[in-house]
DNA sequence: TGTACATCAGTGAACGCGCGTTCACTGATGTAC
DNA sequence: TGTACATCAGTGAACGCGCGTTCACTGATGTAC
């Protein structure tokens, strides 16, 4: 038989998730360091004191949100990199993947872009650690490709970071398009595609 | 004779600058959307109400800080790009320029990195506009180089944005090194140099 | 199955505090004659 | 140069408000027998 959570545990999880969801929603319009505990509980419809049953502070909730948000970015980044090796069609598909992810999880993407350099140290560190892990995975993925023959591990990691950063930049540009500020999707996709292509060309001639 | 400000105007400018300086200092440890007006005036030693003689709101002060901070970044970016065309030595010099700028103006760099995707819309827009202007200037600079022969204006602008973004990423990594979090300077410089080199190689083979 | 006790997620009142903003003011600086 | 009035950067008291945190509590759920 499957392990079922008790009623109490299940309800607790539900409230915890409601707090995370409410916070993520509120963070569309402000940054974590100005988000109030009472604001979050008010949005959920519980007493302010209930917050402490789940998190020690807003910073603590922020770290939990990093896990959630980067959990959703994880498959996107992996798929994108696998898709983005060289040919123009594959690059175009990778860019489309990013655009699709931004459409599906705009709040998560915004949260990561905003708090990556935001005012809460523990959250910055959580994001940096997760992105470093991503870069390592991407670099392992790149190593499988025959195009990686002759590349040092160090250079693969350097390239992986370049890809990860480029994806985040592109994602946050798509986000601005979604908001109505910034350029339109077409234009962003076009520029991002060419930048990826240039990086791809650099990659192909790295060992010349 | 030179135009001298009246005593009253001069004193007003001094207070205004003190407010900007105090705010920039306080923003080392938090983000703009959580910075308080009273916090800033307290740090300067004036009454809270004096703030309104200079700015309508904290967001307004933030926009003024963007002008100041990017005024200082301006020469750095221009010099870096001019220096970063192709040879390894020139790239290394460009990276050193960035590191030096971060040492000289850490608070300005942090402010731009933090608020570029921060919680205050008018400030985000001010930064985006300024960076777009930079990218245009950089692209004009690139166009002068003989390596730009055959390049469309669009592709030059695409490359310029790639450079500008790459510089900001590198600058914010150097900042983390300065803080003691993140990697050390040597390591950051090494990776950034190779990424620049890869981009440079992509640039050289763009028209193949 | 039923009972008696333990656990603990969520409550609601209370606290002291700092916030942004208003307002009428003061007194040094500027200006007109 | 001196006088009379205007300007306006900075003051200080007052306001209502929402904040984070504490505390003793309630009552549904869990557990032992």
């Amino acid at each position: 038989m499957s392990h079922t959570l008790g009623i109490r545990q299940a309800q607790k999880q539900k409230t915890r998730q409601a707090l995370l969801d409410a916070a993520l929603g509120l963070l569309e319009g402000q940054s974590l360091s100005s988000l109030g505990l009472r604001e979050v509980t008010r949005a959920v419809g519980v007493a302010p004191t209930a917050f402490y049953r789940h998190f020690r502070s807003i910073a603590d909730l922020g770290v939990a949100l990093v896990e959630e948000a980067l959990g959703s970015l994880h498959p996107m980044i992996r798929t994108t990199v696998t898709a983005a090796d060289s040919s123009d069609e594959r690059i175009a598909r990778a860019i489309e993947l990013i655009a699709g992810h931004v459409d599906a999880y705009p709040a998560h993407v915004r949260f990561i872009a905003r708090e990556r350099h935001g005012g809460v140290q523990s959250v910055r560190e959580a994001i940096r650690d997760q992105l470093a892990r991503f870069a390592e995975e991407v670099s392992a993925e790149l190593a499988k490709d025959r195009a990686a023959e002759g590349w040092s591990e160090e250079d693969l990691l350097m390239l992986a970071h370049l890809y990860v950063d480029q994806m985040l930049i592109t994602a946050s540009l798509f986000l601005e398009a979604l908001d109505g500020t910034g350029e339109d999707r077409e234009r962003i996709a076009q520029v991002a595609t060419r930048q990826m292509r240039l990086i791809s060309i650099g990659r192909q001639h790295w060992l010349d």
Side-chain angles (χ1 to χ4, degrees), chain A:
Chain A
M1 71 181 245
S2 72
H3 175 69
T4 309
L5 245 50
I7 292 177
R8 200 185 264 172
Q9 283 297 315
Q11 179 54 45
K12 188 178 183 183
Q13 284 301 324
K14 222 173 124 186
T15 305
R16 186 189 136 97
Q17 192 57 47
L19 289 168
L20 288 168
D21 293 348
L24 195 61
L26 290 164
L27 287 170
E28 301 248 1
Q30 63 186 309
S31 52
L32 190 69
S33 72
S34 69
L35 182 66
L37 169 165
R38 289 181 103 104
E39 234 181 311
V40 177
T41 54
R42 198 185 305 124
V44 171
V46 295
T49 45
F51 185 88
Y52 294 107
R53 297 282 175 208
H54 304 276
F55 307 102
R56 293 153 73 87
S57 64
I58 285 287
D60 191 23
L61 176 145
V63 172
L65 271 180
V66 173
E67 314 293 322
E68 185 180 290
L70 286 180
S72 90
L73 279 179
H74 192 124
M76 188 273 278
I77 290 189
R78 175 177 276 257
T79 319
T80 309
V81 168
T82 317
D85 62 349
S86 57
S87 82
D88 284 8
E89 300 147 39
R90 300 193 75 176
I91 289 174
R93 212 184 316 144
I95 301 293
E96 277 309 308
L97 265 166
I98 295 172
H101 186 85
V102 173
D103 288 342
Y105 306 96
H108 283 147
V109 173
R110 173 173 284 118
F111 173 72
I112 295 299
R114 181 159 296 165
E115 300 305 330
R116 184 185 189 187
H117 301 107
V120 182
Q121 184 174 2
S122 57
V123 171
R124 281 200 310 271
E125 284 172 358
I127 293 174
R128 200 195 51 209
D129 291 353
Q130 290 279 0
L131 290 182
R133 274 192 44 218
F134 276 2
E136 273 166 36
E137 286 177 33
V138 166
S139 123
E141 202 69 34
L142 292 172
K144 292 180 190 164
D145 199 299
R146 61 185 169 69
E149 275 172 35
W151 282 63
S152 70
E153 271 197 36
E154 217 172 14
D155 282 349
L156 282 173
L157 195 55
M158 170 283 282
L159 178 61
H161 270 113
L162 194 56
Y163 275 134
V164 170
D165 286 335
Q166 186 61 24
M167 277 174 220
L168 282 179
I169 288 169
T170 303
S172 97
L173 286 170
F174 276 128
L175 204 57
E176 286 179 3
L178 210 63
D179 295 343
T181 61
E183 316 253 16
D184 61 291
R185 276 177 72 119
E186 291 297 318
R187 174 85 186 123
I188 292 162
Q190 190 197 9
V191 173
T193 303
R194 290 183 190 216
Q195 287 173 337
M196 278 291 204
R197 190 182 300 157
L198 191 140
I199 291 171
S200 178
I201 293 172
R203 185 182 169 193
Q204 285 166 260
H205 292 85
W206 183 248
L207 297 173
D208 291 357

